[in-house]
Amino acid sequence: MITVGGIGFLFEGITRQDAKATLSIEPKSVMVTNLTDTSFTFTWQTDEPATGTILVTSTGGKKYSSFDQRDITGKMGKYLTHSVTVRTLAPSTTYDVTVLSNGKKYPIDKKSFSITTLPTLASDAPLFDPAFGSIKTTGGLPAEGALIYISLEGSQTLSTLVGASGSWIIPLSLLRTQDGAAYITQQERINETLVVQLGSIESRVTSDTLNDSPIPDIILGETYDFRGRDAKKTTPATLAQKQVSPTIKPKQVVLGAISDKLTGGVAFTAPIQGATLSSTKPLITGIGIPGKTVTITIGITEPTIGSTIVGKDGVWRFTPK
């Protein structure tokens, strides 16, 4: 059993150095990120495109599966990068995890990963804006599917996938310390590190919390230092004022539009364009700045309009009535 000893932990030694083609779908650079009291994200890469699923077993023996975040349409795709998030877990509970790559179980020695969720915190979360930006390849194309990891000084590691337009966004409102025992303390400027990976190509970016909303455009494979640019100057007081200000115009999201593009600090994540809906009242979700109002318009000829508020976790949810 391989036990996670930290938040944003890299499982060393899972990849076997073997030239056989049958091992090209074996998970590499396995990471556990976005660890909270009720959820975590598993990320990895493969040499060849492969489907990705994880099997989770609770201490009580209950088993269930979680799929890549791009597979919410119900059809499993094959990717070089993989990101699977497990939700609705119990706090301070240990779970065993097995990765399925093209249906084959890993680690291949039949030992599983062991992950323990964090305890629930009673204190208020910090008022950080989400970090967001855009990443392109050297050819000027969106770096779709690239894995991006972000951490602040002394914090846990968070992650996401770069979307089809090259945009990405990571809420920082529930960011904890590296040991998970407390939320990160709000300061005017905190240095942060980003690592972007797509296959063998990697970018390393140094920035800070005054220059991450947005982070300037990134070309995959390049190294950057955006610290000290003072792209924005905010304090906890101005952040709080901004989040409750009645002068903020609601952001509109049209169902079926590009889902990963950030507009006014709000991004639409699900359902994705082309998804088959099993209900006339689907759950619509996205991420953004906590406290902001999101207005959703469904349909064109006879539109249904509703609104919701971005939660403290940086996630908004809406179901049509």
Side-chain angles (χ1 to χ4, degrees):
M1 183 175 291
I2 306 172
T3 303
V4 176
I7 303 170
F9 186 87
L10 174 64
F11 290 106
E12 301 286 357
I14 182 175
T15 304
R16 296 168 182 256
Q17 300 300 320
D18 194 319
K20 293 181 180 179
T22 56
L23 292 182
S24 62
I25 60 169
E26 185 171 6
K28 296 182 177 181
S29 303
V30 180
M31 290 276 290
V32 177
T33 62
N34 304 337
L35 186 60
T36 73
D37 55 340
T38 60
S39 62
F40 63 81
T41 298
F42 229 68
T43 67
W44 69 93
Q45 297 195 65
T46 49
D47 291 336
E48 291 187 358
T51 59
T53 309
I54 62 174
L55 301 179
V56 181
T57 305
S58 67
T59 51
K62 182 180 179 181
K63 298 182 179 181
Y64 50 97
S65 302
S66 292
F67 302 89
D68 191 285
Q69 65 185 62
R70 292 161 288 191
D71 293 340
I72 58 176
T73 60
K75 181 180 179 181
M76 294 181 65
K78 291 189 175 184
Y79 315 104
L80 294 173
T81 57
H82 308 267
S83 179
V84 181
T85 298
V86 186
R87 298 182 175 87
T88 65
L89 303 175
S92 303
T93 302
T94 299
Y95 296 87
D96 293 336
V97 177
T98 299
V99 177
L100 293 183
S101 182
N102 271 2
K104 185 176 181 179
K105 291 184 179 182
Y106 292 93
I108 57 178
D109 57 8
K110 297 184 179 180
K111 293 181 179 179
S112 60
F113 302 104
S114 181
I115 301 172
T116 301
T117 52
L118 299 175
T120 301
L121 299 180
S123 58
D124 292 334
L127 294 174
F128 285 115
D129 282 351
F132 63 90
S134 180
I135 303 175
K136 294 183 178 180
T137 66
T138 54
L141 299 176
E144 180 180 3
L147 286 164
I148 181 165
Y149 303 94
I150 186 170
S151 60
L152 275 59
E153 284 183 303
S155 84
Q156 65 183 137
T157 300
L158 305 180
S159 71
T160 192
L161 286 168
V162 176
S165 68
S167 298
W168 61 273
I169 180 172
I170 298 180
L172 304 179
S173 53
L174 295 181
L175 189 64
R176 298 198 189 197
T177 54
Q178 193 168 23
D179 61 5
Y183 291 121
I184 287 290
T185 302
Q186 183 84 42
Q187 301 177 41
E188 182 179 8
R189 186 195 298 270
I190 305 176
N191 288 336
E192 59 191 22
T193 300
L194 286 85
V195 177
V196 186
Q197 296 178 339
L198 184 60
S200 61
I201 306 175
E202 179 178 285
S203 282
R204 289 190 173 268
V205 182
T206 304
S207 188
D208 56 50
T209 50
L210 291 183
N211 295 279
D212 63 357
S213 297
I215 283 182
D217 290 351
I218 296 170
I219 301 298
L220 190 61
E222 301 294 328
T223 300
Y224 300 88
D225 189 340
F226 297 128
R227 289 174 295 181
R229 290 193 173 195
D230 293 339
K232 62 174 183 176
K233 286 187 177 294
T234 54
T235 64
T238 57
L239 277 170
Q241 183 180 21
K242 177 175 64 176
Q243 290 177 8
V244 299
S245 172
T247 61
I248 294 177
K249 295 182 179 180
K251 307 302 175 185
Q252 286 196 329
V253 176
V254 179
L255 186 62
I258 296 175
S259 60
D260 68 302
K261 190 173 181 62
L262 186 71
T263 305
V266 174
F268 177 64
T269 58
I272 64 173
Q273 187 171 8
T276 300
L277 304 179
S278 59
S279 170
T280 57
K281 298 180 179 181
L283 174 63
I284 303 169
T285 63
I287 51 182
I289 299 173
K292 277 204 170 187
T293 299
V294 182
T295 299
I296 299 95
T297 302
I298 303 174
I300 299 176
T301 56
E302 297 182 1
T304 298
I305 300 175
S307 64
T308 187
I309 304 295
V310 181
K312 290 183 178 180
D313 59 354
V315 177
W316 58 266
R317 301 171 178 84
F318 176 79
T319 301
K321 294 182 179 180

